[in-house]
Amino acid sequence: MADPADDRRFMAAAIALSERGRGLSTPNPNVGCLIVRDGAVVGRGWTQKGGRPHAEAQALDQALDQARGATAYVTLEPCFHLSPRGPRCADLMVRAGVKRVVIALRDPDPRTDGQGAAYLRAHDIDVEMGLMAREAAAAMSGFVLRQTLGRPAVTLKLGLSLDGCIALKDGASRWITGEAARAHAHLERARHDAILVGGGTLRADAPRLDVRLKGLEDRSPRRLLITRGPALKGWETVSQPDDIAALAQVDHLLIEGGSATAAAFLRADLVDRLLLYRAPILIGSGLPGIGDIGLSDLAQAHGGWRLTDERRLGEDRLEVYERRRTA
Amino acid sequence: MADPADDRRFMAAAIALSERGRGLSTPNPNVGCLIVRDGAVVGRGWTQKGGRPHAEAQALDQALDQARGATAYVTLEPCFHLSPRGPRCADLMVRAGVKRVVIALRDPDPRTDGQGAAYLRAHDIDVEMGLMAREAAAAMSGFVLRQTLGRPAVTLKLGLSLDGCIALKDGASRWITGEAARAHAHLERARHDAILVGGGTLRADAPRLDVRLKGLEDRSPRRLLITRGPALKGWETVSQPDDIAALAQVDHLLIEGGSATAAAFLRADLVDRLLLYRAPILIGSGLPGIGDIGLSDLAQAHGGWRLTDERRLGEDRLEVYERRRTA
């Protein structure tokens, strides 16, 4: 008999593995997979750069013969559709002799959408679907939103004083947060396919938007500028928030400023996640982080955000809020 | 032999007791006292309304004969100076037969200032001074600052959105925070001798500034208005931040708005504690909580505030920051 607490623990580990592929596996979902036999992990995998190999293929490759009779924990239903790029994961599971497959999220891709699970069951594999589905969906939000809303998952990052300023009145913003917070923000860049800023931020800060962390330099995302003006060398351009839906190979988008850009995406309800890096300082009468979002009634502001993570980063604090959407 | 961990635990309890008298014991310090014999608490006390009885007198009254041979934990050095209002606590300790007295903070009042401890030692009582002095000083900040800087301890309260706004552009601020946070803010009112607002807040919100918590209605503090204009019925008036030093019977002052008033006190470096009630909402382009504090260089803003408490209050979060001052 499977212990439900063990199942949750292993699935949480699979979800943590899936995070490693965020912003790297696009256009494929950043799946995580764990193969467990007799209580011991015998294989681990997460979707690799560009989407191959899949998490399951990698984990089964590690497990080899030990996959026979084992349980697989997968954050997304194993794929069923044929692709010239690699094998079908549902088929790999069957051939490896896996006995039980625990799945967090049913694959919303219509080419799989339950067929992977059905195929496994048809081959006498025990299948459970839905364990920690919310957490898995959050970890694979880029893929999920691309499938359900046809657009990337959008994260808005703000580096704030306690009174909500992103800069002094004269625009000076170096530095509000300390080294640890800035390093964390660079790590977040590496987890996104693209970073977007507005024209004001480009002119004021000339940001490089790269990942300045040793060993991760090649994880620097694409750079996007939101402007109605002409394109700029080295930058892709969108003219309005809705345009992000049309960006190829962008499932995870990070917005880094400024306040007008943040407001434009919030007005369009296109922000799914807030990263608030907060320094223990007061600025007073500085530049606010967010411009006019068209709010006319405080009651409408409530219920929209849920705190999902928080931590200290040196003297600063990070808070992560996720958008609550009524399905 | 006294166990240092036990000492800390009992002193922490005495400090928690002292908090009960904050804003009530003025002009006396809000001291807390615990009498412990053979590891069991036999007496507890905190300075009562208006300053009498003292914490030690109350705790010894509870302990009666069990005080003999016991250890007393006091957040402030027992008073030594004669007063027509009651007995000297150092003397009470001796007469009760206490064997050991652990003191957090040496009394800065020149009429005691070490003499209480010396008197105890002269009567063969073991005295230890300095345990958790910082925490005790924070709990009795009103008294300590009155003694050292000649002014009340000042707390600035802000009810903020995540982006640091205290209201919509049109001034609407009902409600940003939820019921639990508002109830907590009312409890904080009860812990202050007076509340101060600026003219703008008075005109915009007509705040009552009372304690609307069942059973605590009589703990409503005095109401102060900062204005250069004429006095207003039911309100005391100060014309500038420095004037608070001259207020009689005010050791704990709470500032409740608005942004110009907050800025005036911050500019004068007269804020010792920040109470940030933060709602998980975004307002965007609303009214900022803090006006111009004269900051021209971000480097100067750092190092000034230390997070000392945080908690959830319903959907909201409270953060308490204390001012770091170089002594």
Side-chain angles (χ1 to χ4, degrees):
Chain A
M1 267 304 291
D3 180 335
D6 280 344
D7 279 349
R8 281 190 75 84
R9 213 157 23 232
F10 289 129
M11 185 60 83
I15 292 170
L17 286 175
S18 88
E19 291 275 6
R20 300 189 183 189
R22 194 203 282 243
L24 196 70
S25 68
T26 308
N28 281 58
N30 52 308
V31 177
C33 178
L34 210 64
I35 313 282
V36 177
R37 180 163 161 173
D38 300 331
V41 174
V42 296
R44 306 186 312 155
W46 57 96
T47 316
Q48 297 294 302
K49 191 162 183 170
R52 296 283 169 169
H54 281 187
E56 300 93 319
Q58 202 191 19
L60 289 170
D61 261 2
Q62 270 183 19
L64 294 175
D65 280 354
Q66 299 179 87
R68 195 153 302 277
T71 297
Y73 297 85
V74 212
T75 63
L76 186 71
E77 181 185 0
C79 65
F80 183 67
H81 50 281
L82 292 166
S83 160
R85 298 180 67 210
R88 304 193 292 186
C89 291
D91 206 26
L92 289 182
M93 293 276 181
V94 170
R95 282 195 266 154
V98 168
K99 198 178 114 201
R100 180 171 171 253
V101 177
V102 184
I103 299 165
L105 197 70
R106 179 177 173 136
D107 189 349
D109 186 324
R111 296 171 300 174
T112 293
D113 193 17
Q115 296 183 82
Y119 182 83
L120 296 173
R121 287 197 181 101
H123 287 80
D124 286 331
I125 293 176
D126 292 334
V127 177
E128 285 158 56
M129 195 140 65
L131 179 68
M132 302 181 75
R134 196 184 70 73
E135 291 88 340
M140 300 181 290
S141 57
F143 171 76
V144 170
L145 289 174
R146 174 64 72 193
Q147 290 291 328
T148 56
L149 299 180
R151 63 161 179 88
V154 177
T155 296
L156 171 62
K157 175 219 143 182
L158 294 168
L160 297 170
S161 63
L162 296 179
D163 54 330
C165 300
I166 54 169
L168 298 186
K169 200 63 142 185
D170 66 8
S173 63
R174 290 186 187 156
W175 295 106
I176 289 177
T177 54
E179 271 186 41
R182 273 147 40 210
H184 190 279
H186 276 257
L187 205 54
E188 278 291 334
R189 284 182 177 170
R191 301 171 73 214
H192 287 80
D193 301 302
I195 308 179
L196 180 146
V197 296
T201 296
L202 180 64
R203 283 185 296 273
D205 295 346
R208 288 159 52 187
L209 305 185
D210 50 0
V211 177
R212 292 193 288 281
L213 295 172
K214 222 172 162 134
L216 285 178
E217 295 86 350
D218 67 336
R219 292 284 300 263
S220 294
R222 283 154 60 187
R223 306 191 302 174
L224 305 179
L225 181 66
I226 184 165
T227 178
R228 296 192 184 273
L232 201 71
K233 193 168 150 30
W235 294 77
E236 294 173 67
T237 302
V238 296
S239 62
Q240 54 175 344
D242 281 338
D243 291 356
I244 60 169
L247 292 167
Q249 295 274 80
V250 176
D251 281 358
H252 300 268
L253 177 66
L254 181 64
I255 298 177
E256 291 216 14
S259 63
T261 301
F265 278 87
L266 287 164
R267 259 200 316 273
D269 197 8
L270 283 174
V271 178
D272 307 295
R273 187 164 162 261
L274 300 175
L275 286 177
L276 306 184
Y277 297 93
R278 299 171 57 243
I281 66 170
L282 297 175
I283 288 182
S285 197
L287 299 187
I290 298 174
D292 188 358
I293 59 174
L295 183 71
S296 60
D297 180 358
L298 270 174
Q300 294 166 3
H302 288 278
W305 300 96
R306 175 181 47 221
L307 182 72
T308 57
D309 193 14
E310 55 175 322
R311 64 188 67 188
R312 294 252 190 147
L313 293 167
E315 286 278 293
D316 306 321
R317 292 161 63 70
L318 167 64
E319 288 177 352
V320 182
Y321 288 86
E322 283 175 19
R323 186 87 173 107
R324 276 192 180 119
R325 295 184 196 282
T326 42
Chain B
M1 269 302 291
D3 179 335
D6 281 345
D7 280 347
R8 280 191 76 84
R9 211 155 27 230
F10 288 128
M11 185 58 85
I15 291 171
L17 286 174
S18 88
E19 290 276 6
R20 300 189 181 189
R22 193 203 282 244
L24 196 71
S25 68
T26 309
N28 282 57
N30 53 306
V31 178
C33 178
L34 210 65
I35 314 282
V36 177
R37 180 165 159 171
D38 300 332
V41 174
V42 296
R44 305 187 313 154
W46 57 96
T47 317
Q48 297 293 301
K49 191 163 181 166
R52 297 282 168 170
H54 281 186
E56 299 93 320
Q58 203 190 21
L60 289 169
D61 263 2
Q62 270 184 20
L64 294 174
D65 281 354
Q66 298 179 88
R68 197 153 301 275
T71 296
Y73 295 86
V74 215
T75 63
L76 186 72
E77 182 185 0
C79 65
F80 183 67
H81 51 283
L82 293 165
S83 160
R85 298 179 68 208
R88 303 193 292 187
C89 291
D91 207 25
L92 289 181
M93 293 275 182
V94 169
R95 282 194 266 155
V98 167
K99 198 177 113 200
R100 179 170 171 252
V101 178
V102 184
I103 299 165
L105 197 70
R106 178 180 174 133
D107 189 350
D109 186 324
R111 295 171 302 173
T112 294
D113 193 17
Q115 297 184 79
Y119 183 83
L120 296 172
R121 287 198 180 100
H123 288 80
D124 287 331
I125 294 176
D126 292 334
V127 177
E128 285 157 56
M129 195 140 64
L131 180 67
M132 301 181 77
R134 197 183 69 75
E135 293 86 341
M140 300 182 291
S141 58
F143 171 76
V144 171
L145 289 175
R146 175 63 73 191
Q147 292 290 329
T148 55
L149 299 180
R151 62 160 179 89
V154 177
T155 297
L156 170 62
K157 176 217 141 183
L158 294 168
L160 297 170
S161 61
L162 295 180
D163 53 330
C165 299
I166 55 169
L168 298 187
K169 200 62 145 186
D170 67 8
S173 63
R174 289 186 189 155
W175 295 107
I176 288 177
T177 54
E179 271 186 40
R182 270 142 48 206
H184 189 279
H186 277 256
L187 205 55
E188 278 290 334
R189 285 183 177 170
R191 301 172 72 213
H192 287 80
D193 301 302
I195 308 180
L196 180 146
V197 297
T201 297
L202 180 65
R203 284 184 295 273
D205 295 345
R208 290 159 52 187
L209 303 187
D210 51 359
V211 178
R212 293 194 287 282
L213 294 172
K214 221 171 164 134
L216 285 178
E217 296 86 349
D218 67 336
R219 292 284 300 263
S220 294
R222 285 154 61 189
R223 305 191 302 173
L224 305 180
L225 182 66
I226 184 164
T227 176
R228 297 195 182 271
L232 202 72
K233 194 170 151 24
W235 294 76
E236 295 175 65
T237 301
V238 296
S239 61
Q240 54 176 343
D242 281 338
D243 290 356
I244 60 170
L247 293 166
Q249 296 276 81
V250 175
D251 281 359
H252 300 269
L253 176 66
L254 181 64
I255 298 177
E256 291 216 15
S259 64
T261 301
F265 278 86
L266 286 165
R267 257 199 317 270
D269 197 7
L270 282 174
V271 178
D272 307 295
R273 188 163 161 260
L274 300 175
L275 285 176
L276 306 184
Y277 297 93
R278 300 171 58 240
I281 66 171
L282 296 175
I283 288 182
S285 195
L287 298 186
I290 298 175
D292 188 359
I293 58 174
L295 182 71
S296 60
D297 180 357
L298 269 174
Q300 293 165 5
H302 288 277
W305 300 96
R306 175 181 45 224
L307 182 74
T308 57
D309 194 14
E310 56 175 322
R311 62 189 68 189
R312 294 254 190 145
L313 293 167
E315 286 277 294
D316 307 321
R317 293 160 64 71
L318 167 64
E319 288 177 351
V320 182
Y321 288 86
E322 284 175 18
R323 185 88 173 106
R324 275 194 182 119
R325 294 185 198 283
T326 42

